[in-house]
Amino acid sequence: MASGTGPTAGEYIIHHLTHLQNQAPKSVADFSVFNLDSLFFSITLGILGCWLLWLAARKATSGVPGRFQAAVEMLVEMVDSQAKGIVHNANSRKLVAPLALVVFVWIFLLNAMDLLPVDLLPLIWEAIYGAAGHDPHHAYMRVVPTADLSVSMGLSVSVLVVCLVYNIKIKGMGGWAHELVTAPFGTSKNPIFALILGVLNLSMQLIEFIAKTVSHGMRLFGNMYAGELIFLLIALMGGAWSLSATGIGLAIGHIIAGTAWAIFHILIITLQAFVFMMLTLVYIGQAHDHH
């Protein structure tokens, strides 16, 4: 990463929190800049998740299932039961239940990248980058896509689009438009009061859509970003070890803290995938409800 005595703690963390991008941003809101590392890992793990589900379906038998098939069947039954309890339209569940399953598996795999050693993939990338004749100090790479706000918000915006589609599909364009200006405060026979209530209702509906979408993505992003930072801090403990009492203590602390946090983080990555999936089902279920 850096020559000489190596990077400082601040430089180390900043380096690991910098994305591999197609170009340097010209402004804060430069939408022509893409985080190539997030795109690569998101697409790769999405394909891997779909392949694992396809493999389980292809190898499914009516006899005693193997461990892999049993695990997938338990996961499918769990998602299906949650979908039945939230989305009461049987036709909608034909698409919503598989969607929720894919969402859970995909986000779990994205989150699980945080369990890899902090420097493993970045060091491999730096070696490739340096072998290509570039300065490996600038070989940036982040491997946890859900710790990238653009990925987390992209997922939540995608859920919003699905909810809007089901609002129109279930209620019709006219029915949904009527709901936007009559719920939650209702309407009035008086034209002036009806106009005021319509503006208030529409404002509340828009605020609700925005709040749900932002909180949906930010919850996932915040938890995974915090987890990534803790792993970086633990890695710094290991990097500061030396042949002294303090240095050996830091090395032992690095091993103990890293192991404990990794075990606890397994619960976090699973819980965050489950919460994102459940909120997806809840929001789609709300799109089916008439006010």
Side-chain angles (χ1 to χ4, degrees):
M1 288 171 53
S3 58
T5 58
T8 64
E11 291 171 341
Y12 176 83
I13 291 176
I14 291 173
H15 183 88
H16 276 279
L17 294 180
T18 304
H19 286 283
L20 172 65
Q21 297 176 325
N22 60 318
Q23 64 183 38
K26 300 179 179 63
S27 65
V28 176
D30 189 349
F31 295 103
S32 64
V33 177
F34 297 95
N35 295 336
L36 300 178
D37 42 13
S38 295
L39 286 172
F40 172 77
F41 288 114
S42 296
I43 294 171
T44 301
L45 292 173
I47 294 173
L48 175 62
C50 290
W51 178 76
L52 289 174
L53 293 175
W54 171 82
L55 188 64
R58 189 174 70 89
K59 291 187 175 182
T61 61
S62 57
V64 178
R67 293 180 181 179
F68 176 62
Q69 181 183 336
V72 173
E73 286 181 355
M74 289 174 61
L75 178 60
V76 170
E77 289 176 2
M78 182 271 293
V79 174
D80 188 57
S81 64
Q82 296 296 335
K84 287 180 179 178
I86 298 173
V87 181
H88 303 296
N89 187 307
N91 283 331
S92 295
R93 284 201 305 271
K94 293 178 181 179
L95 174 63
V96 173
L99 173 65
L101 176 64
V102 171
V103 165
F104 178 83
V105 172
W106 192 17
I107 293 181
F108 176 81
L109 291 175
L110 297 179
N111 293 348
M113 294 296 289
D114 218 1
L115 297 176
L116 293 176
V118 168
D119 290 303
L120 178 60
L121 294 183
L123 281 177
I124 294 174
W125 172 241
E126 287 179 8
I128 297 173
Y129 203 74
H134 302 287
D135 180 6
H137 174 70
H138 298 292
Y140 301 118
M141 173 175 284
R142 292 183 66 181
V143 302
V144 187
T146 42
D148 179 0
L149 183 59
S150 60
V151 172
S152 297
M153 289 305 300
L155 290 169
S156 64
V157 169
S158 299
V159 173
L160 172 64
V161 172
V162 173
C163 292
L164 296 180
V165 169
Y166 272 106
N167 267 300
I168 297 172
K169 180 180 179 180
I170 299 298
K171 304 165 187 175
M173 180 61 76
W176 183 49
H178 180 264
E179 182 180 284
L180 287 176
V181 296
T182 58
F185 300 122
T187 187
S188 172
K189 294 181 179 180
N190 186 301
I192 297 178
F193 288 151
L195 177 61
I196 295 173
L197 287 172
V199 172
L200 287 175
N201 287 326
L202 180 60
S203 300
M204 290 298 295
Q205 291 275 2
L206 293 177
I207 291 172
E208 181 182 355
F209 280 123
I210 294 172
K212 288 193 299 187
T213 302
V214 172
S215 63
H216 199 191
M218 288 297 293
R219 180 183 291 104
L220 177 62
F221 163 74
N223 280 280
M224 297 314 301
Y225 188 83
E228 187 178 29
L229 281 177
I230 293 175
F231 273 122
L232 289 174
L233 294 175
I234 293 173
L236 284 172
M237 293 175 60
W241 82 279
S242 61
L243 294 176
S244 64
T246 303
I248 294 174
L250 285 172
I252 295 174
H254 163 76
I255 295 173
I256 295 175
T259 302
W261 179 245
I263 293 173
F264 178 68
H265 206 59
I266 294 173
L267 173 62
I268 294 176
I269 65 176
T270 306
L271 182 61
Q272 288 306 311
F274 179 77
V275 168
F276 197 95
M277 179 203 73
M278 287 300 296
L279 288 175
T280 299
L281 288 173
V282 168
Y283 294 157
I284 295 176
Q286 289 175 346
H288 288 69
D289 296 335
H290 293 272
H291 297 281

